Amino acid sequence: MKKNNQSLLSRFFSHNITLLVLAFVLAFAAWFIISLSEESEETKTITDIPVTIELPDTAKDDGLYLYGTDDLKASVEVKGNRAMLGTLTASDIQVTANQSSSMISVGSYTLSLTAKQAGLKTNYTIVKEKLSPSTVTVYVDKNKEQEFNIDNQITVKLDDSNHYASVALSKSKVTVSGPETHVNQIASVAVVDNISTDTQTTVNEDLVFFDENGEKLYLPYVTTDIGTVEATISVLPITEVSLKVDTANAPSEYPNITMSPARVKIAGPQDVLDSLEDNTVTIGTLDFTKLKNEGNKEKFDISLPKGCKVISGETTATASIDLNEFYSTTVNAKVSSKLDSSKYTVEFPSNNVEITVNGPQDLIDSISASDITAIADFTGLLDDVTTGSAVSLSVPLKISLSSDYAQCWVYGSYTVNVNVTKK
């Protein structure tokens, strides 16, 4: 009987699979016992621990803010048995700044950091000398917001001299916020780049701060409301155009109007350039009611069709006309009204007005009050007048000359005092 038992046992251990399973169980048991023992102490680095920095109440009461703490994280090495370390997270450790009570005035502060246990888990040790970073620098100041225009300092290099690169920014203004001391250093905000291209392209550009001397500023605590700016670069054809002005209230004949400059180089979309009649751009209107019988010059901004730009450097042009050959006289003309007499009563305290007329000498010598029509223009002035109400108004006059004096023009603008009653 004893011999049979020994045989069964021998067969049992002769199976390789059984031996492997038994070995695994024994090894696991040994590992588990060792991992729980003090002799198996290990180290682990806990990362992404938020850093807590408190501004003193006295500083808050003075309107001060703390800068440089956004996304401020620390890491520290801890010791303990493997099982304990496997459960630790950043929430189990608190990292705080020392000497934060000293931050009561504007300035930069370098503070040392301390790590301590923050949760219920205590069976581990913090290796204080392995805290990283061990110090942080923060800034204390009042907050300030200010809006700036965005300067375009992007230069584009083209190989084709018959084309021009136009740069359009997606934003024209930016609001900057941050420490008052730092915001006050900013004189301008710009996008700056050097780009080589022969086709239309779009790039995202960072904003750059400059001081009053044009030096670039590094302001890590200053933020903007828009982040990057999109710059669209268009490659446009170039052409030369003539400049001219229209006229208003002009006589039937007058000397030539000369422009200075007479021509400018512009760049723009091809379809817009093709639409320019006689390759000419009208930049304004020369109103003869503002022109005396002498040499006259008037400056105009050079305004172009949408998408076009002057590339020869000019921003204004001057229209000149020599009217020295003409003469001037004053005529006492009678004022009238075209208001419906069934609805309004109109009284002119004085229904005469002196009108200055310029023109050729023979016509100036012969013109009289009967050749001038002066009508009170009530357009938009009586909209709020109620029935039975009386108002006194200063009304502009519309002046016109008879056809015999088409070569003359009225100089100046005129008004008349009128008493009006709505019936």
Side-chain angles (χ1 to χ4, degrees):
M1 186 70 175
K2 185 176 181 181
K3 184 177 180 180
N4 289 335
N5 289 336
Q6 290 177 344
S7 176
L8 289 172
L9 185 63
S10 175
R11 286 198 301 273
F12 177 81
F13 284 106
S14 67
H15 294 287
N16 291 336
I17 294 177
T18 303
L19 289 174
L20 288 172
V21 172
L22 181 59
F24 177 82
V25 171
L26 292 175
F28 180 82
W31 169 82
F32 184 78
I33 294 172
I34 293 172
S35 66
L36 295 178
S37 67
E38 293 184 358
E39 290 75 17
S40 64
E41 187 175 64
E42 296 184 1
T43 61
K44 178 182 179 180
T45 299
I46 307 297
T47 60
D48 294 328
I49 307 170
V51 177
T52 302
I53 305 176
E54 290 291 337
L55 196 64
D57 290 339
T58 54
K60 295 177 182 178
D61 293 341
D62 290 337
L64 298 177
Y65 292 84
L66 188 60
Y67 299 92
T69 60
D70 294 343
D71 299 322
L72 189 57
K73 300 291 180 68
S75 64
V76 68
E77 189 176 289
V78 295
K79 288 183 178 181
N81 63 63
R82 185 177 298 178
M84 173 57 70
L85 297 185
T87 66
L88 287 180
T89 65
S91 61
D92 296 310
I93 299 175
Q94 183 181 38
V95 177
T96 57
N98 302 321
Q99 305 98 31
S100 60
S101 60
S102 64
M103 300 186 298
I104 58 175
S105 60
V106 175
S108 181
Y109 295 84
T110 298
L111 309 174
S112 60
L113 299 182
T114 299
K116 65 179 181 179
Q117 296 174 348
L120 299 176
K121 302 169 187 177
T122 58
N123 192 22
Y124 67 95
T125 303
I126 294 176
V127 184
K128 296 181 179 180
E129 61 271 18
K130 291 298 181 73
L131 175 62
S132 178
S134 59
T135 62
V136 294
T137 299
V138 295
Y139 195 81
V140 175
D141 201 348
K142 292 182 177 180
N143 190 68
K144 181 176 181 178
E145 284 191 359
Q146 185 172 340
E147 186 178 69
F148 291 88
N149 292 324
I150 301 175
D151 297 335
N152 184 353
Q153 297 185 20
I154 297 176
T155 58
V156 182
K157 181 181 178 181
L158 298 178
D159 293 332
D160 184 359
S161 60
N162 294 320
H163 285 77
Y164 173 82
S166 172
V167 181
L169 302 182
S170 61
K171 301 289 183 180
S172 60
K173 296 181 181 295
V174 59
T175 299
V176 173
S177 60
E180 182 178 45
T181 305
H182 292 178
V183 174
N184 287 342
Q185 295 178 42
I186 302 173
S188 63
V189 181
V191 289
V192 183
D193 205 348
N194 292 291
I195 299 173
S196 295
T197 184
D198 289 318
T199 59
Q200 178 166 317
T201 185
T202 299
V203 293
N204 288 317
E205 298 287 350
D206 293 325
L207 294 168
V208 182
F209 304 135
F210 293 95
D211 64 15
E212 60 183 7
N213 297 317
E215 297 294 329
K216 185 176 179 180
L217 295 169
Y218 174 68
L219 304 173
Y221 306 133
V222 172
T223 60
T224 63
D225 65 333
I226 60 173
T228 60
V229 177
E230 190 176 82
T232 300
I233 301 167
S234 301
V235 179
L236 304 173
I238 297 173
T239 191
E240 189 175 56
V241 298
S242 299
L243 301 179
K244 75 167 189 175
V245 292
D246 285 333
T247 60
N249 305 303
S252 58
E253 297 178 10
Y254 52 85
N256 289 333
I257 300 171
T258 59
M259 301 297 300
S260 179
R263 299 176 65 81
V264 294
K265 283 188 176 181
I266 70 171
Q270 189 64 59
D271 59 336
V272 176
L273 299 182
D274 291 341
S275 69
L276 296 177
E277 186 176 350
D278 297 327
N279 221 33
T280 300
V281 175
T282 302
I283 62 172
T285 300
L286 198 62
D287 187 351
F288 269 72
T289 63
K290 300 178 181 179
L291 303 182
K292 296 181 179 181
N293 57 318
E294 58 185 34
N296 294 272
K297 292 184 178 181
E298 187 171 343
K299 184 178 290 186
F300 295 87
D301 292 331
I302 301 177
S303 55
L304 299 176
K306 185 176 180 180
C308 296
K309 178 183 177 66
V310 176
I311 64 169
S312 48
E314 302 89 349
T315 59
T316 63
T318 300
S320 301
I321 184 170
D322 184 1
L323 301 174
N324 284 294
E325 64 183 44
F326 294 93
Y327 291 78
S328 179
T329 190
T330 300
V331 181
N332 196 354
K334 186 176 181 179
V335 178
S336 61
S337 168
K338 289 188 176 182
L339 283 179
D340 188 344
S341 60
S342 66
K343 296 180 180 179
Y344 298 94
T345 299
V346 179
E347 296 179 353
F348 294 101
S350 174
N351 67 342
N352 291 314
V353 61
E354 289 191 345
I355 307 296
T356 298
V357 180
N358 297 328
Q361 184 174 10
D362 58 332
L363 296 178
I364 291 301
D365 289 341
S366 63
I367 194 168
S368 64
S370 61
D371 301 310
I372 301 176
T373 302
I375 300 175
D377 182 10
F378 291 94
T379 303
L381 298 179
L382 301 176
D383 295 345
D384 298 328
V385 178
T386 58
T387 300
S389 298
V391 294
S392 296
L393 303 169
S394 178
V395 181
L397 293 177
K398 285 186 174 180
I399 312 295
S400 60
L401 305 177
S402 69
S403 59
D404 292 337
Y405 293 87
Q407 296 179 52
C408 300
W409 74 95
V410 174
Y411 171 73
S413 58
Y414 302 89
T415 60
V416 64
N417 293 324
V418 186
N419 298 323
V420 180
T421 302
K422 189 172 184 180
K423 297 180 180 180

